[in-house]
Amino acid sequence: MSTTSPSAPLPAPDHSPRLRDALLAADFTVDGLLDLLGAPAYAALARSETVPALRATGGDTPLDTLVRLFLLQRPVPSERARAVLPLTQCLADGWLVTGGGAGGRTDNGPHNGPRNGPDGGTGPGEDGAYVRATVDVRPYGGPDGEDWFIVSDLGCAVGGASGASGHGEGVVLGVGGASTTLAGLTVRTPVDKALDVGTGSGIQALHAARHATRVTATDLNPRALECARLTLALSGAPTAELREGSLFEPVDGETYDLIVSNPPFVISPGARLTYRDGGMGGDDLCRTLVQETGDRLAHGGYAHFLANWQHVEGEEWQDRLRSWVPRGCDAWIVQREVQDVTRYAELWLRDSGDHQADPQAYAALYDAWLDEFEARSTKAVGFGWISLRKSGAERPSVLVEEWPHPVEQPLGDTVRAHFERQDYLRAHDDAALLTAHFALAPEVVQEQVGLPGAEDPEHVVLRQNRGMRRATKVDTVAAGFAGVCDGSLSAGRILDAIAQLMGEDPVLLRDRTPQAIRLLVEEGFLVPVAAAGS
């Protein structure tokens, strides 16, 4: 793949609507790519593996041309580009340049001339016979079927260990797994003002533009702001206000209804790469971002972050994260993965391509990472999600949990429902819970576990098949209670009936069961409903 220098000029967005129309006319979309490449080759592109897609785009259709040009970053004959794109404007605005580029890799199609080049071409034309892309333009499907396009630097369409190797400090990455995870976590309710901190290629701002009246996007890297501008323009989305600066500095004194950030969270010995390393020691950047959000979040607003955090000797990692939560905010923090310091260092050294450098230099860098962790008494690093909601509650709800199991994205509605349940539980003491009505949440199933042939199960498990896909072990009373919850009877009346069936004292059963009900509500197995006629 080609790569772009961080100092190379980016295209102008002046004629983005014409370019967008041309891309759509050629079916340069997620669905179009799946049809052309097939699922395996399309998935390989997400891993920065291009050979399968090269094999699938040997024809001379408009879509073949665009895939070769913008995704595989191969020069194509000018006349083929002219048949698909407004070529003169693309050259003038800087989306394309003439020539075969530094490696001389060209594409003349499988049957269109001498097969002298590695891809069947004749070599770069000195007379402008070939054109090549200056940026990666990648189709991206919006949540309601929108055809969007993400603009990033060449060779940087996908982050992670395989997608950003060896690139300079100021490059702009495209959409990777972290970006889509954050987009899926975000609560998508209509808001007035949304803020994307560290926008990168602009994917979070693009999502926010669907449901926010005004979107502000910030980044320390001015090149990232320009890529975000191109992403929004080429996707046909409303413009965002773009501001340069670190964290909340560009929006000092302002508040927002929604704040999202996929920050440079990597814990490393120094700030070598802007897209990855925040330049603060340890996990201070993530801590600062979360703590300062409290003053920037409007009442009732949500904030969502991806973050890394240290596991420090002699300290519970849950306590560390609880200390980050700003006053007046409820929080839901989920640790998805933990890596020991050696695996963590190796992951990010490979990400930057240092494993391909001189072995002695690699060993020195590896040693520096381990020195950093030893100095901070760090034994492992956790990765996960942090969601905040500005409730202003005197008794904020702060849930910190480990959940490495599969979930069903998007989770935005699940996140919103979690915080709404915290409001409900704060407002209802045990006596109020017994007068309330509940229904079993959709997609909940019951599993009975025990020895084959046994008369009674050893235990009963309730399992969700949506959202977080939680499972919880319950006793026979809680299982029976959940099984008959359909909203028609109050919790107290259901318990009285269960007491009669089991021959138990109804008063004692009422006393001991509200805690189990509270847990089932908190985890989303039971949903409060209004009583009939109320």
Side-chain angles (χ1 to χ4, degrees):
M1 270 194 175
S2 303
T3 57
T4 297
S5 164
S7 61
L10 289 168
D14 301 353
H15 302 100
S16 296
R18 284 200 64 189
L19 176 55
R20 173 178 170 79
D21 289 344
L23 298 178
L24 293 177
D27 204 18
F28 189 61
T29 63
V30 171
D31 289 341
L33 292 183
L34 277 171
D35 289 341
L36 174 67
L37 303 178
Y42 185 74
L45 275 179
R47 303 189 299 269
S48 294
E49 297 291 349
T50 60
V51 171
L54 281 168
R55 293 171 61 89
T57 55
D60 58 0
T61 69
L63 188 52
D64 286 324
T65 299
L66 293 178
V67 172
R68 288 257 170 163
L69 195 59
F70 287 116
L71 296 188
L72 304 180
Q73 287 127 37
R74 299 300 198 268
V76 302
S78 298
E79 290 311 307
R80 280 182 58 179
R82 190 184 304 278
V84 186
L85 299 168
L87 184 59
T88 301
Q89 286 185 347
C90 286
L91 289 168
D93 290 346
W95 294 96
L96 304 176
V97 293
T98 58
R105 300 205 66 171
T106 64
D107 171 37
N108 211 21
H111 308 296
N112 296 337
R115 301 179 63 85
N116 299 329
D119 291 324
T122 58
E126 299 299 328
D127 57 355
Y130 292 90
V131 294
R132 56 184 175 85
T134 61
V135 289
D136 185 292
V137 177
R138 192 153 301 235
Y140 179 84
D144 290 329
E146 299 94 340
D147 290 314
W148 289 341
F149 300 97
I150 309 301
V151 179
S152 63
D153 277 323
L154 295 176
C156 301
V158 182
S162 65
S165 297
H167 295 300
E169 178 190 353
V171 297
V172 181
L173 301 186
V175 177
S179 300
T180 55
T181 294
L182 179 60
L185 283 176
T186 303
V187 173
R188 300 296 177 188
T189 54
V191 296
D192 180 27
K193 297 171 62 181
L195 173 65
D196 177 14
V197 180
T199 189
S201 60
I203 178 60
Q204 307 304 329
L206 184 56
H207 275 278
R210 295 177 59 250
H211 60 101
T213 304
R214 290 174 287 176
V215 176
T216 300
T218 71
D219 205 290
L220 184 63
N221 181 4
R223 187 175 183 85
L225 296 176
E226 290 308 306
C227 279
R229 189 191 310 278
L230 294 171
T231 289
L232 292 166
L234 198 57
S235 298
T239 59
E241 184 177 1
L242 305 174
R243 302 186 192 178
E244 183 180 344
S246 177
L247 299 181
F248 292 112
E249 290 175 1
V251 295
D252 188 41
E254 301 178 24
T255 58
Y256 294 85
D257 308 295
L258 173 67
I259 299 174
V260 294
S261 182
N262 179 16
F265 51 65
V266 176
I267 300 171
S268 66
R272 297 175 58 213
L273 301 172
T274 301
Y275 73 84
R276 190 190 74 177
D277 310 292
M280 297 185 186
D283 52 18
D284 284 354
L285 183 138
C286 291
R287 175 186 56 80
T288 300
L289 179 64
V290 174
Q291 288 181 336
E292 292 185 355
T293 297
D295 294 332
R296 275 77 180 183
L297 204 55
H299 183 76
Y302 289 91
H304 307 277
F305 312 103
L306 299 184
N308 280 188
W309 44 78
Q310 297 166 208
H311 284 225
V312 178
E313 295 284 355
E315 176 188 65
E316 294 294 331
W317 67 269
Q318 296 93 332
D319 293 339
R320 183 181 194 85
L321 290 171
R322 289 189 187 98
S323 72
W324 292 8
V325 179
R327 180 176 302 177
C329 289
D330 294 338
W332 185 15
I333 302 173
V334 181
Q335 179 168 273
R336 296 287 289 160
E337 184 180 1
V338 181
Q339 290 188 341
D340 66 63
V341 293
T342 59
R343 289 179 58 206
Y344 188 83
E346 290 161 13
L347 169 68
W348 294 109
L349 287 169
R350 284 180 170 83
D351 169 82
S352 55
D354 291 309
H355 65 302
Q356 299 172 341
D358 175 71
Q360 289 186 335
Y362 172 77
L365 287 169
Y366 198 149
D367 208 37
W369 281 68
L370 297 185
D371 283 345
E372 174 79 4
F373 289 130
E374 185 177 349
R376 295 181 178 276
S377 300
T378 301
K379 59 184 179 179
V381 177
F383 170 85
W385 320 323
I386 298 176
S387 290
L388 306 177
R389 199 271 305 264
K390 187 70 170 288
S391 66
E394 292 184 7
R395 295 181 295 113
S397 165
V398 178
L399 174 62
V400 183
E401 62 176 331
E402 186 165 18
W403 191 256
H405 312 294
V407 299
E408 184 184 52
Q409 285 275 32
L411 280 170
D413 288 344
T414 300
V415 173
R416 177 178 51 80
H418 167 85
F419 287 111
E420 289 175 350
R421 291 195 299 270
Q422 307 316 306
D423 285 340
Y424 178 87
L425 292 171
R426 264 195 297 259
H428 290 74
D429 59 17
D430 288 354
L433 285 181
L434 292 175
T435 64
H437 293 239
F438 301 96
L440 191 65
E443 304 294 332
V444 172
V445 296
Q446 176 178 300
E447 300 174 358
Q448 296 186 0
V449 181
L451 294 174
E455 182 175 349
D456 297 314
E458 293 180 11
H459 59 263
V460 177
V461 173
L462 299 181
R463 187 179 302 277
Q464 301 168 347
N465 287 325
R466 303 292 299 272
M468 293 293 287
R469 295 178 173 170
R470 293 188 186 279
T472 187
K473 186 189 299 185
V474 294
D475 61 18
T476 53
V477 172
F481 179 88
V484 298
C485 276
D486 61 4
S488 60
L489 297 176
S490 69
R493 290 188 61 186
I494 293 174
L495 289 177
D496 290 343
I498 292 175
Q500 185 174 4
L501 287 172
M502 299 181 65
E504 291 200 28
D505 185 334
V507 175
L508 294 178
L509 195 61
R510 280 174 171 256
D511 283 345
R512 75 169 194 259
T513 306
Q515 189 58 39
I517 297 174
R518 190 173 294 276
L519 179 63
L520 291 175
V521 172
E522 182 176 20
E523 293 191 341
F525 290 94
L526 293 179
V527 180
V529 296
S534 63

